[in-house]
Amino acid sequence: MPSNANLENALGPEFHGSKPSNQSAETDWSAYATAYDLLSLHNPEYRALLQEFESFLSTIETPQVIYDIGGGTGSYTEIAAGAFPGSEIHLVEPDATMLRTARAKLSRYSKVHFHAAALQEFKAPGKADLIVCVHALYTMPNQRERLDDLRRMVRPGGHLFLIDLGRYMDVSDWRRYLFAELKREHGLIGALKVFWQGRQVAKQNKAILKSQQSGAYWTFTGPELAAAVTDAGFEILKQQPVYRGYSDLLVCRA
Ligand SMILES: C[S@@+](CC[C@H](N)C(=O)[O-])C[C@H]1O[C@@H](n2cnc3c(N)ncnc32)[C@H](O)[C@@H]1O
């Protein structure tokens, strides 16, 4: 869980999130991509998010057009493509290594299209019935404008499935949690092996924290994210803290 100080930040009314900043971000997404899929293999909290997404998909009508914004290595697109084989899915991702990994992983899905673009430069080919944006918005410049972009890209009545990291990424806290989980499942040597394989994950999560602290990445409380999403013109159907309290999940309707 986030440390007490961070939890106070997460919940306290005096916390107003990070200010817009000219600082540049420190994360190397290409380096992260080389180990990213260890998360779906070994982080139960990441897997729980994928399950939340799968459950959500079972509650909606078949979407004709889906955008996965900041889709990374394609974990969410893969679930959507499995649930809705007839849907046209656009995975939008600016990092070349993330995108290459996604292409390789999803090559069997002929209706998945890949776009090497950041959200702010993406020319959407049409309105979406569903937009998925997981742990990507906080990394983008001018997040409130990006929420406006998402609103413009979805048809009235369409859905936004949003998960975003709002609290400081406490790397030691995650290390303790994951090590205990891995040790229980794979024993001490197995846990050490996974930690060695995943050293790039720890390194890039530290970079995420630095970018949050410098203000290059957005930090927010649940109510602050809800206000930003509502301001962009979405109706919130469901909101809950996820990812051990570090993130918020919102299901929204345009
Ligand atoms: C933490 S990863 C999340 C990947 C994926 N959504 C997942 O949850 O598995 C964040 C992703 O956002 C992408 N990203 C960064 N800036 C972006 C932007 N301006 N527009 C779209 N995606 C962006 C990064 O390249 C990275 O792949």
Side-chain angles (χ1 to χ4, degrees), residues 28-243:
D28 178 346
W29 292 114
S30 284
Y32 207 156
T34 62
Y36 200 80
D37 282 346
L38 287 174
L39 294 175
S40 52
L41 279 178
H42 293 299
N43 183 343
E45 290 286 322
Y46 185 91
R47 281 204 298 269
L49 300 182
L50 296 176
Q51 277 160 12
E52 286 282 353
F53 181 56
E54 203 166 4
S55 305
F56 159 71
L57 293 184
S58 71
T59 68
I60 58 170
E61 306 234 318
T62 302
Q64 298 306 307
V65 177
I66 303 172
Y67 294 137
D68 183 0
I69 304 295
T73 62
S75 303
Y76 288 81
T77 288
E78 187 169 28
I79 289 173
F84 299 120
S87 302
E88 188 183 300
I89 309 182
H90 298 269
L91 188 152
V92 180
E93 170 54 54
D95 180 77
T97 312
M98 287 279 187
L99 200 62
R100 197 165 52 243
T101 309
R103 272 185 201 277
K105 203 158 94 181
L106 306 176
S107 59
R108 66 187 182 282
Y109 296 108
S110 60
K111 300 205 75 170
V112 175
H113 308 277
F114 300 90
H115 303 267
L119 171 58
Q120 59 275 24
E121 64 201 24
F122 176 58
K123 302 274 177 286
K127 298 268 187 193
D129 303 289
L130 167 63
I131 295 185
V132 184
C133 185
V134 178
H135 284 157
L137 182 65
Y138 74 97
T139 73
M140 297 181 195
N142 306 315
Q143 297 84 5
R144 287 175 179 79
E145 287 173 26
R146 301 290 74 77
L147 280 168
D148 292 338
D149 292 343
L150 297 180
R151 178 62 191 83
R152 274 193 295 274
M153 286 161 59
V154 67
R155 68 159 173 82
H159 287 97
L160 168 66
F161 181 91
L162 177 70
I163 298 177
D164 215 30
L165 177 75
R167 269 67 79 192
Y168 282 157
M169 173 59 83
D170 182 339
V171 180
S172 317
D173 172 53
W174 276 104
R175 193 186 295 123
R176 276 191 303 277
Y177 162 75
L178 283 172
F179 199 76
E181 290 292 322
L182 287 167
K183 205 169 134 201
R184 187 163 39 243
E185 206 177 326
H186 302 287
L188 178 62
I189 302 296
L192 288 169
K193 271 190 192 153
V194 175
F195 259 57
W196 175 248
Q197 286 170 351
R199 57 200 183 281
Q200 200 51 248
V201 172
K203 185 168 177 195
Q204 296 312 320
N205 282 342
K206 274 187 202 157
I208 287 174
L209 174 63
K210 271 179 116 175
S211 303
Q212 290 175 312
Q213 288 168 330
S214 74
Y217 285 171
W218 194 24
T219 52
F220 50 78
T221 64
E224 284 167 345
L225 181 62
V229 163
T230 308
D231 287 349
F234 288 101
E235 176 194 358
I236 298 171
L237 304 178
K238 169 181 167 176
Q239 173 164 8
Q240 67 190 62
V242 289
Y243 217 47

